[in-house]
PDB file of all heavy atoms in Angstrom:
ATOM      1  N   ARG A 939       2.518   2.982 -17.538  1.00 98.00           N
ATOM      2  CA  ARG A 939       2.089   3.929 -18.570  1.00 98.00           C
ATOM      3  C   ARG A 939       0.790   4.554 -18.089  1.00 98.00           C
ATOM      4  O   ARG A 939      -0.201   3.830 -17.867  1.00 98.00           O
ATOM      5  CB  ARG A 939       1.868   3.192 -19.895  1.00 98.00           C
ATOM      6  CG  ARG A 939       1.248   4.053 -20.997  1.00 98.00           C
ATOM      7  CD  ARG A 939       2.256   4.992 -21.623  1.00 98.00           C
ATOM      8  NE  ARG A 939       1.631   5.815 -22.644  1.00 98.00           N
ATOM      9  CZ  ARG A 939       1.624   5.547 -23.947  1.00 98.00           C
ATOM     10  NH1 ARG A 939       2.220   4.468 -24.404  1.00 98.00           N
ATOM     11  NH2 ARG A 939       1.026   6.362 -24.796  1.00 98.00           N
ATOM     12  N   ALA A 940       0.782   5.867 -17.927  1.00 98.00           N
ATOM     13  CA  ALA A 940      -0.375   6.554 -17.349  1.00 98.00           C
ATOM     14  C   ALA A 940      -1.433   6.823 -18.421  1.00 98.00           C
ATOM     15  O   ALA A 940      -1.791   7.973 -18.681  1.00 98.00           O
ATOM     16  CB  ALA A 940       0.071   7.840 -16.671  1.00 98.00           C
ATOM     17  N   TYR A 941      -1.950   5.759 -19.010  1.00 97.00           N
ATOM     18  CA  TYR A 941      -2.949   5.894 -20.083  1.00 97.00           C
ATOM     19  C   TYR A 941      -4.143   6.745 -19.652  1.00 97.00           C
ATOM     20  O   TYR A 941      -4.630   7.586 -20.385  1.00 97.00           O
ATOM     21  CB  TYR A 941      -3.469   4.516 -20.500  1.00 97.00           C
ATOM     22  CG  TYR A 941      -2.561   3.745 -21.427  1.00 97.00           C
ATOM     23  CD1 TYR A 941      -2.009   2.527 -21.035  1.00 97.00           C
ATOM     24  CD2 TYR A 941      -2.273   4.209 -22.708  1.00 97.00           C
ATOM     25  CE1 TYR A 941      -1.196   1.790 -21.894  1.00 97.00           C
ATOM     26  CE2 TYR A 941      -1.456   3.482 -23.572  1.00 97.00           C
ATOM     27  CZ  TYR A 941      -0.918   2.272 -23.161  1.00 97.00           C
ATOM     28  OH  TYR A 941      -0.117   1.553 -24.010  1.00 97.00           O
ATOM     29  N   CYS A 942      -4.627   6.489 -18.419  1.00 96.00           N
ATOM     30  CA  CYS A 942      -5.837   7.188 -17.967  1.00 96.00           C
ATOM     31  C   CYS A 942      -5.561   8.683 -17.797  1.00 96.00           C
ATOM     32  O   CYS A 942      -6.395   9.519 -18.130  1.00 96.00           O
ATOM     33  CB  CYS A 942      -6.345   6.587 -16.663  1.00 96.00           C
ATOM     34  SG  CYS A 942      -6.877   4.884 -16.847  1.00 96.00           S
ATOM     35  N   LEU A 943      -4.387   8.992 -17.280  1.00 98.00           N
ATOM     36  CA  LEU A 943      -4.007  10.388 -17.095  1.00 98.00           C
ATOM     37  C   LEU A 943      -3.863  11.090 -18.447  1.00 98.00           C
ATOM     38  O   LEU A 943      -4.351  12.212 -18.645  1.00 98.00           O
ATOM     39  CB  LEU A 943      -2.692  10.463 -16.298  1.00 98.00           C
ATOM     40  CG  LEU A 943      -2.159  11.848 -15.973  1.00 98.00           C
ATOM     41  CD1 LEU A 943      -3.142  12.637 -15.109  1.00 98.00           C
ATOM     42  CD2 LEU A 943      -0.802  11.744 -15.238  1.00 98.00           C
ATOM     43  N   GLU A 944      -3.217  10.442 -19.385  1.00 98.00           N
ATOM     44  CA  GLU A 944      -3.065  11.020 -20.733  1.00 98.00           C
ATOM     45  C   GLU A 944      -4.431  11.332 -21.341  1.00 98.00           C
ATOM     46  O   GLU A 944      -4.657  12.401 -21.906  1.00 98.00           O
ATOM     47  CB  GLU A 944      -2.341  10.026 -21.660  1.00 98.00           C
ATOM     48  CG  GLU A 944      -0.883   9.802 -21.324  1.00 98.00           C
ATOM     49  CD  GLU A 944      -0.280   8.655 -22.151  1.00 98.00           C
ATOM     50  OE1 GLU A 944      -0.871   8.264 -23.183  1.00 98.00           O
ATOM     51  OE2 GLU A 944       0.778   8.138 -21.747  1.00 98.00           O
ATOM     52  N   LYS A 945      -5.336  10.354 -21.216  1.00 97.00           N
ATOM     53  CA  LYS A 945      -6.680  10.495 -21.808  1.00 97.00           C
ATOM     54  C   LYS A 945      -7.422  11.654 -21.151  1.00 97.00           C
ATOM     55  O   LYS A 945      -8.017  12.492 -21.830  1.00 97.00           O
ATOM     56  CB  LYS A 945      -7.435   9.179 -21.606  1.00 97.00           C
ATOM     57  CG  LYS A 945      -8.669   9.040 -22.455  1.00 97.00           C
ATOM     58  CD  LYS A 945      -9.274   7.644 -22.264  1.00 97.00           C
ATOM     59  CE  LYS A 945     -10.757   7.666 -22.607  1.00 97.00           C
ATOM     60  NZ  LYS A 945     -11.454   6.468 -22.105  1.00 97.00           N
ATOM     61  N   LYS A 946      -7.344  11.690 -19.828  1.00 97.00           N
ATOM     62  CA  LYS A 946      -8.047  12.738 -19.085  1.00 97.00           C
ATOM     63  C   LYS A 946      -7.508  14.116 -19.456  1.00 97.00           C
ATOM     64  O   LYS A 946      -8.266  15.075 -19.579  1.00 97.00           O
ATOM     65  CB  LYS A 946      -7.851  12.478 -17.586  1.00 97.00           C
ATOM     66  CG  LYS A 946      -8.631  13.396 -16.690  1.00 97.00           C
ATOM     67  CD  LYS A 946     -10.032  12.894 -16.494  1.00 97.00           C
ATOM     68  CE  LYS A 946     -10.807  13.793 -15.554  1.00 97.00           C
ATOM     69  NZ  LYS A 946     -12.206  13.355 -15.482  1.00 97.00           N
ATOM     70  N   LEU A 947      -6.193  14.216 -19.616  1.00 98.00           N
ATOM     71  CA  LEU A 947      -5.579  15.499 -19.960  1.00 98.00           C
ATOM     72  C   LEU A 947      -5.759  15.821 -21.442  1.00 98.00           C
ATOM     73  O   LEU A 947      -5.587  16.971 -21.858  1.00 98.00           O
ATOM     74  CB  LEU A 947      -4.080  15.479 -19.637  1.00 98.00           C
ATOM     75  CG  LEU A 947      -3.666  15.437 -18.162  1.00 98.00           C
ATOM     76  CD1 LEU A 947      -2.167  15.166 -18.030  1.00 98.00           C
ATOM     77  CD2 LEU A 947      -4.025  16.756 -17.471  1.00 98.00           C
ATOM     78  N   GLY A 948      -6.061  14.803 -22.238  1.00 98.00           N
ATOM     79  CA  GLY A 948      -6.161  15.011 -23.685  1.00 98.00           C
ATOM     80  C   GLY A 948      -4.843  15.445 -24.294  1.00 98.00           C
ATOM     81  O   GLY A 948      -4.788  16.250 -25.224  1.00 98.00           O
ATOM     82  N   THR A 949      -3.767  14.892 -23.770  1.00 98.00           N
ATOM     83  CA  THR A 949      -2.435  15.301 -24.226  1.00 98.00           C
ATOM     84  C   THR A 949      -1.853  14.278 -25.195  1.00 98.00           C
ATOM     85  O   THR A 949      -2.099  13.077 -25.044  1.00 98.00           O
ATOM     86  CB  THR A 949      -1.478  15.448 -23.026  1.00 98.00           C
ATOM     87  OG1 THR A 949      -0.174  15.781 -23.517  1.00 98.00           O
ATOM     88  CG2 THR A 949      -1.353  14.157 -22.234  1.00 98.00           C
ATOM     89  N   PRO A 950      -1.097  14.727 -26.182  1.00 98.00           N
ATOM     90  CA  PRO A 950      -0.388  13.765 -27.037  1.00 98.00           C
ATOM     91  C   PRO A 950       0.881  13.216 -26.362  1.00 98.00           C
ATOM     92  O   PRO A 950       1.508  12.297 -26.899  1.00 98.00           O
ATOM     93  CB  PRO A 950      -0.019  14.600 -28.266  1.00 98.00           C
ATOM     94  CG  PRO A 950       0.072  16.001 -27.760  1.00 98.00           C
ATOM     95  CD  PRO A 950      -0.882  16.125 -26.618  1.00 98.00           C
ATOM     96  N   ALA A 951       1.218  13.784 -25.187  1.00 98.00           N
ATOM     97  CA  ALA A 951       2.409  13.302 -24.475  1.00 98.00           C
ATOM     98  C   ALA A 951       2.182  11.871 -24.012  1.00 98.00           C
ATOM     99  O   ALA A 951       1.052  11.447 -23.775  1.00 98.00           O
ATOM    100  CB  ALA A 951       2.697  14.199 -23.273  1.00 98.00           C
ATOM    101  N   LYS A 952       3.282  11.136 -23.911  1.00 98.00           N
ATOM    102  CA  LYS A 952       3.232   9.786 -23.357  1.00 98.00           C
ATOM    103  C   LYS A 952       3.839   9.852 -21.964  1.00 98.00           C
ATOM    104  O   LYS A 952       5.000  10.187 -21.810  1.00 98.00           O
ATOM    105  CB  LYS A 952       4.003   8.832 -24.258  1.00 98.00           C
ATOM    106  CG  LYS A 952       3.266   8.606 -25.581  1.00 98.00           C
ATOM    107  CD  LYS A 952       4.164   8.079 -26.659  1.00 98.00           C
ATOM    108  CE  LYS A 952       3.399   7.931 -27.973  1.00 98.00           C
ATOM    109  NZ  LYS A 952       2.465   9.047 -28.293  1.00 98.00           N
ATOM    110  N   ILE A 953       3.005   9.541 -20.974  1.00 98.00           N
ATOM    111  CA  ILE A 953       3.441   9.720 -19.593  1.00 98.00           C
ATOM    112  C   ILE A 953       3.692   8.371 -18.941  1.00 98.00           C
ATOM    113  O   ILE A 953       2.835   7.478 -18.991  1.00 98.00           O
ATOM    114  CB  ILE A 953       2.386  10.500 -18.768  1.00 98.00           C
ATOM    115  CG1 ILE A 953       1.957  11.777 -19.508  1.00 98.00           C
ATOM    116  CG2 ILE A 953       2.924  10.817 -17.382  1.00 98.00           C
ATOM    117  CD1 ILE A 953       0.808  12.518 -18.835  1.00 98.00           C
ATOM    118  N   TYR A 954       4.846   8.243 -18.320  1.00 98.00           N
ATOM    119  CA  TYR A 954       5.204   7.025 -17.584  1.00 98.00           C
ATOM    120  C   TYR A 954       5.611   7.405 -16.166  1.00 98.00           C
ATOM    121  O   TYR A 954       6.180   8.473 -15.952  1.00 98.00           O
ATOM    122  CB  TYR A 954       6.400   6.324 -18.230  1.00 98.00           C
ATOM    123  CG  TYR A 954       6.130   5.733 -19.590  1.00 98.00           C
ATOM    124  CD1 TYR A 954       6.220   6.510 -20.738  1.00 98.00           C
ATOM    125  CD2 TYR A 954       5.800   4.391 -19.715  1.00 98.00           C
ATOM    126  CE1 TYR A 954       5.975   5.954 -21.993  1.00 98.00           C
ATOM    127  CE2 TYR A 954       5.555   3.831 -20.959  1.00 98.00           C
ATOM    128  CZ  TYR A 954       5.650   4.617 -22.101  1.00 98.00           C
ATOM    129  OH  TYR A 954       5.415   4.066 -23.320  1.00 98.00           O
ATOM    130  N   ASP A1112      11.905  11.751 -23.122  1.00 98.00           N
ATOM    131  CA  ASP A1112      12.459  13.070 -23.433  1.00 98.00           C
ATOM    132  C   ASP A1112      12.831  13.815 -22.170  1.00 98.00           C
ATOM    133  O   ASP A1112      13.796  14.564 -22.142  1.00 98.00           O
ATOM    134  CB  ASP A1112      11.438  13.889 -24.227  1.00 98.00           C
ATOM    135  CG  ASP A1112      11.181  13.285 -25.580  1.00 98.00           C
ATOM    136  OD1 ASP A1112      12.122  13.279 -26.388  1.00 98.00           O
ATOM    137  OD2 ASP A1112      10.063  12.786 -25.817  1.00 98.00           O
ATOM    138  N   MET A1113      12.006  13.619 -21.137  1.00 98.00           N
ATOM    139  CA  MET A1113      12.332  14.311 -19.889  1.00 98.00           C
ATOM    140  C   MET A1113      12.054  13.417 -18.693  1.00 98.00           C
ATOM    141  O   MET A1113      11.194  12.538 -18.749  1.00 98.00           O
ATOM    142  CB  MET A1113      11.562  15.623 -19.770  1.00 98.00           C
ATOM    143  CG  MET A1113      10.090  15.476 -19.607  1.00 98.00           C
ATOM    144  SD  MET A1113       9.282  17.098 -19.700  1.00 98.00           S
ATOM    145  CE  MET A1113       8.931  17.192 -21.456  1.00 98.00           C
ATOM    146  N   VAL A1246       4.490  18.719 -11.842  1.00 98.00           N
ATOM    147  CA  VAL A1246       5.288  19.227 -12.966  1.00 98.00           C
ATOM    148  C   VAL A1246       5.101  18.354 -14.206  1.00 98.00           C
ATOM    149  O   VAL A1246       5.072  18.857 -15.337  1.00 98.00           O
ATOM    150  CB  VAL A1246       6.765  19.356 -12.550  1.00 98.00           C
ATOM    151  CG1 VAL A1246       7.648  19.710 -13.745  1.00 98.00           C
ATOM    152  CG2 VAL A1246       6.894  20.428 -11.462  1.00 98.00           C
ATOM    153  N   ALA A1247       4.917  17.052 -14.012  1.00 98.00           N
ATOM    154  CA  ALA A1247       4.658  16.164 -15.162  1.00 98.00           C
ATOM    155  C   ALA A1247       3.350  16.562 -15.845  1.00 98.00           C
ATOM    156  O   ALA A1247       3.269  16.611 -17.086  1.00 98.00           O
ATOM    157  CB  ALA A1247       4.596  14.710 -14.697  1.00 98.00           C
ATOM    158  N   ILE A1248       2.334  16.876 -15.044  1.00 98.00           N
ATOM    159  CA  ILE A1248       1.047  17.307 -15.622  1.00 98.00           C
ATOM    160  C   ILE A1248       1.225  18.627 -16.375  1.00 98.00           C
ATOM    161  O   ILE A1248       0.729  18.804 -17.492  1.00 98.00           O
ATOM    162  CB  ILE A1248      -0.038  17.419 -14.522  1.00 98.00           C
ATOM    163  CG1 ILE A1248      -0.431  16.014 -14.037  1.00 98.00           C
ATOM    164  CG2 ILE A1248      -1.262  18.183 -15.020  1.00 98.00           C
ATOM    165  CD1 ILE A1248      -1.425  15.982 -12.878  1.00 98.00           C
ATOM    166  N   ASP A1249       1.976  19.543 -15.779  1.00 98.00           N
ATOM    167  CA  ASP A1249       2.244  20.820 -16.461  1.00 98.00           C
ATOM    168  C   ASP A1249       2.920  20.594 -17.815  1.00 98.00           C
ATOM    169  O   ASP A1249       2.553  21.223 -18.817  1.00 98.00           O
ATOM    170  CB  ASP A1249       3.170  21.708 -15.601  1.00 98.00           C
ATOM    171  CG  ASP A1249       2.445  22.297 -14.397  1.00 98.00           C
ATOM    172  OD1 ASP A1249       1.196  22.191 -14.345  1.00 98.00           O
ATOM    173  OD2 ASP A1249       3.122  22.851 -13.510  1.00 98.00           O
ATOM    174  N   GLU A1250       3.899  19.719 -17.829  1.00 98.00           N
ATOM    175  CA  GLU A1250       4.621  19.461 -19.080  1.00 98.00           C
ATOM    176  C   GLU A1250       3.712  18.783 -20.107  1.00 98.00           C
ATOM    177  O   GLU A1250       3.784  19.073 -21.302  1.00 98.00           O
ATOM    178  CB  GLU A1250       5.867  18.599 -18.815  1.00 98.00           C
ATOM    179  CG  GLU A1250       6.968  19.317 -18.019  1.00 98.00           C
ATOM    180  CD  GLU A1250       7.624  20.457 -18.809  1.00 98.00           C
ATOM    181  OE1 GLU A1250       7.642  20.385 -20.054  1.00 98.00           O
ATOM    182  OE2 GLU A1250       8.115  21.426 -18.178  1.00 98.00           O
ATOM    183  N   ALA A1251       2.844  17.895 -19.621  1.00 98.00           N
ATOM    184  CA  ALA A1251       1.912  17.219 -20.535  1.00 98.00           C
ATOM    185  C   ALA A1251       0.916  18.214 -21.122  1.00 98.00           C
ATOM    186  O   ALA A1251       0.513  18.109 -22.287  1.00 98.00           O
ATOM    187  CB  ALA A1251       1.174  16.101 -19.802  1.00 98.00           C
ATOM    188  N   LYS A1252       0.533  19.209 -20.323  1.00 98.00           N
ATOM    189  CA  LYS A1252      -0.383  20.244 -20.828  1.00 98.00           C
ATOM    190  C   LYS A1252       0.310  21.097 -21.881  1.00 98.00           C
ATOM    191  O   LYS A1252      -0.315  21.513 -22.867  1.00 98.00           O
ATOM    192  CB  LYS A1252      -0.861  21.131 -19.669  1.00 98.00           C
ATOM    193  CG  LYS A1252      -1.930  20.462 -18.805  1.00 98.00           C
ATOM    194  CD  LYS A1252      -2.358  21.396 -17.677  1.00 98.00           C
ATOM    195  CE  LYS A1252      -3.434  20.788 -16.789  1.00 98.00           C
ATOM    196  NZ  LYS A1252      -3.632  21.577 -15.551  1.00 98.00           N
ATOM    197  N   LYS A1253       1.594  21.370 -21.680  1.00 98.00           N
ATOM    198  CA  LYS A1253       2.340  22.127 -22.692  1.00 98.00           C
ATOM    199  C   LYS A1253       2.348  21.359 -24.009  1.00 98.00           C
ATOM    200  O   LYS A1253       2.208  21.936 -25.083  1.00 98.00           O
ATOM    201  CB  LYS A1253       3.785  22.365 -22.230  1.00 98.00           C
ATOM    202  CG  LYS A1253       3.914  23.477 -21.203  1.00 98.00           C
ATOM    203  CD  LYS A1253       5.400  23.721 -20.868  1.00 98.00           C
ATOM    204  CE  LYS A1253       5.545  24.268 -19.457  1.00 98.00           C
ATOM    205  NZ  LYS A1253       6.910  24.107 -18.919  1.00 98.00           N
ATOM    206  N   CYS A1254       2.496  20.029 -23.916  1.00 98.00           N
ATOM    207  CA  CYS A1254       2.483  19.203 -25.135  1.00 98.00           C
ATOM    208  C   CYS A1254       1.138  19.303 -25.835  1.00 98.00           C
ATOM    209  O   CYS A1254       1.058  19.247 -27.065  1.00 98.00           O
ATOM    210  CB  CYS A1254       2.770  17.745 -24.796  1.00 98.00           C
ATOM    211  SG  CYS A1254       4.477  17.449 -24.324  1.00 98.00           S
ATOM    212  N   LYS A1255       0.098  19.426 -25.035  1.00 98.00           N
ATOM    213  CA  LYS A1255      -1.238  19.559 -25.619  1.00 98.00           C
ATOM    214  C   LYS A1255      -1.307  20.835 -26.453  1.00 98.00           C
ATOM    215  O   LYS A1255      -1.861  20.860 -27.558  1.00 98.00           O
ATOM    216  CB  LYS A1255      -2.278  19.590 -24.501  1.00 98.00           C
ATOM    217  CG  LYS A1255      -3.709  19.499 -24.986  1.00 98.00           C
ATOM    218  CD  LYS A1255      -4.673  19.475 -23.814  1.00 98.00           C
ATOM    219  CE  LYS A1255      -6.114  19.472 -24.294  1.00 98.00           C
ATOM    220  NZ  LYS A1255      -7.041  19.417 -23.153  1.00 98.00           N
ATOM    221  N   GLU A1256      -0.715  21.907 -25.925  1.00 98.00           N
ATOM    222  CA  GLU A1256      -0.725  23.178 -26.662  1.00 98.00           C
ATOM    223  C   GLU A1256       0.108  23.109 -27.940  1.00 98.00           C
ATOM    224  O   GLU A1256      -0.297  23.585 -28.982  1.00 98.00           O
ATOM    225  CB  GLU A1256      -0.181  24.303 -25.769  1.00 98.00           C
ATOM    226  CG  GLU A1256      -1.204  24.795 -24.750  1.00 98.00           C
ATOM    227  CD  GLU A1256      -0.550  25.673 -23.689  1.00 98.00           C
ATOM    228  OE1 GLU A1256       0.467  26.343 -23.996  1.00 98.00           O
ATOM    229  OE2 GLU A1256      -1.054  25.661 -22.549  1.00 98.00           O
ATOM    230  N   THR A1257       1.273  22.477 -27.814  1.00 98.00           N
ATOM    231  CA  THR A1257       2.193  22.475 -28.957  1.00 98.00           C
ATOM    232  C   THR A1257       1.966  21.284 -29.879  1.00 98.00           C
ATOM    233  O   THR A1257       2.474  21.262 -30.996  1.00 98.00           O
ATOM    234  CB  THR A1257       3.657  22.412 -28.470  1.00 98.00           C
ATOM    235  OG1 THR A1257       3.825  21.174 -27.748  1.00 98.00           O
ATOM    236  CG2 THR A1257       3.988  23.571 -27.548  1.00 98.00           C
ATOM    237  N   GLY A1258       1.227  20.294 -29.386  1.00 98.00           N
ATOM    238  CA  GLY A1258       1.009  19.099 -30.197  1.00 98.00           C
ATOM    239  C   GLY A1258       2.185  18.134 -30.193  1.00 98.00           C
ATOM    240  O   GLY A1258       2.214  17.168 -30.945  1.00 98.00           O
ATOM    241  N   GLU A1259       3.158  18.385 -29.330  1.00 98.00           N
ATOM    242  CA  GLU A1259       4.339  17.514 -29.305  1.00 98.00           C
ATOM    243  C   GLU A1259       4.059  16.210 -28.551  1.00 98.00           C
ATOM    244  O   GLU A1259       3.468  16.214 -27.485  1.00 98.00           O
ATOM    245  CB  GLU A1259       5.507  18.236 -28.615  1.00 98.00           C
ATOM    246  CG  GLU A1259       6.109  19.351 -29.446  1.00 98.00           C
ATOM    247  CD  GLU A1259       7.147  20.127 -28.649  1.00 98.00           C
ATOM    248  OE1 GLU A1259       6.752  20.821 -27.696  1.00 98.00           O
ATOM    249  OE2 GLU A1259       8.336  20.024 -28.973  1.00 98.00           O
ATOM    250  N   GLU A1260       4.520  15.104 -29.110  1.00 97.00           N
ATOM    251  CA  GLU A1260       4.302  13.795 -28.480  1.00 97.00           C
ATOM    252  C   GLU A1260       5.483  13.413 -27.595  1.00 97.00           C
ATOM    253  O   GLU A1260       6.118  12.384 -27.807  1.00 97.00           O
ATOM    254  CB  GLU A1260       4.115  12.718 -29.549  1.00 97.00           C
ATOM    255  CG  GLU A1260       2.834  12.863 -30.322  1.00 97.00           C
ATOM    256  CD  GLU A1260       2.587  11.680 -31.244  1.00 97.00           C
ATOM    257  OE1 GLU A1260       3.149  10.591 -30.986  1.00 97.00           O
ATOM    258  OE2 GLU A1260       1.851  11.852 -32.210  1.00 97.00           O
ATOM    259  N   LYS A1261       5.778  14.240 -26.629  1.00 98.00           N
ATOM    260  CA  LYS A1261       6.949  13.961 -25.797  1.00 98.00           C
ATOM    261  C   LYS A1261       6.712  12.789 -24.847  1.00 98.00           C
ATOM    262  O   LYS A1261       5.582  12.535 -24.432  1.00 98.00           O
ATOM    263  CB  LYS A1261       7.313  15.198 -24.997  1.00 98.00           C
ATOM    264  CG  LYS A1261       7.912  16.274 -25.889  1.00 98.00           C
ATOM    265  CD  LYS A1261       8.609  17.347 -25.109  1.00 98.00           C
ATOM    266  CE  LYS A1261       9.262  18.316 -26.095  1.00 98.00           C
ATOM    267  NZ  LYS A1261       9.492  19.636 -25.498  1.00 98.00           N
ATOM    268  N   THR A1262       7.771  12.108 -24.511  1.00 98.00           N
ATOM    269  CA  THR A1262       7.693  11.018 -23.545  1.00 98.00           C
ATOM    270  C   THR A1262       8.234  11.503 -22.206  1.00 98.00           C
ATOM    271  O   THR A1262       9.388  11.931 -22.104  1.00 98.00           O
ATOM    272  CB  THR A1262       8.496   9.799 -24.037  1.00 98.00           C
ATOM    273  OG1 THR A1262       7.901   9.342 -25.251  1.00 98.00           O
ATOM    274  CG2 THR A1262       8.470   8.680 -23.013  1.00 98.00           C
ATOM    275  N   ILE A1263       7.352  11.464 -21.220  1.00 98.00           N
ATOM    276  CA  ILE A1263       7.672  11.996 -19.900  1.00 98.00           C
ATOM    277  C   ILE A1263       7.794  10.844 -18.912  1.00 98.00           C
ATOM    278  O   ILE A1263       6.927   9.980 -18.851  1.00 98.00           O
ATOM    279  CB  ILE A1263       6.552  12.950 -19.421  1.00 98.00           C
ATOM    280  CG1 ILE A1263       6.404  14.129 -20.389  1.00 98.00           C
ATOM    281  CG2 ILE A1263       6.806  13.418 -17.991  1.00 98.00           C
ATOM    282  CD1 ILE A1263       5.161  14.988 -20.135  1.00 98.00           C
ATOM    283  N   LEU A1264       8.854  10.833 -18.147  1.00 98.00           N
ATOM    284  CA  LEU A1264       8.987   9.865 -17.046  1.00 98.00           C
ATOM    285  C   LEU A1264       9.046  10.628 -15.745  1.00 98.00           C
ATOM    286  O   LEU A1264       9.806  11.590 -15.622  1.00 98.00           O
ATOM    287  CB  LEU A1264      10.283   9.051 -17.201  1.00 98.00           C
ATOM    288  CG  LEU A1264      10.724   8.246 -15.965  1.00 98.00           C
ATOM    289  CD1 LEU A1264       9.721   7.146 -15.608  1.00 98.00           C
ATOM    290  CD2 LEU A1264      12.124   7.647 -16.176  1.00 98.00           C
TER     291      LEU A1264
END
Side-chain angles (χ1 to χ4, degrees):
Chain A
R939 173 77 181 265
Y941 280 117
C942 296
L943 182 61
E944 291 172 17
K945 195 175 156 195
K946 186 84 178 175
L947 291 170
T949 177
K952 290 160 183 41
I953 310 173
Y954 292 85
D1112 294 294
M1113 67 188 91
V1246 173
I1248 289 176
D1249 287 349
E1250 292 292 332
K1252 283 180 179 168
K1253 282 184 208 161
C1254 288
K1255 189 177 176 179
E1256 282 167 29
T1257 62
E1259 288 173 292
E1260 292 188 22
K1261 288 195 176 157
T1262 297
I1263 299 170
L1264 166 64

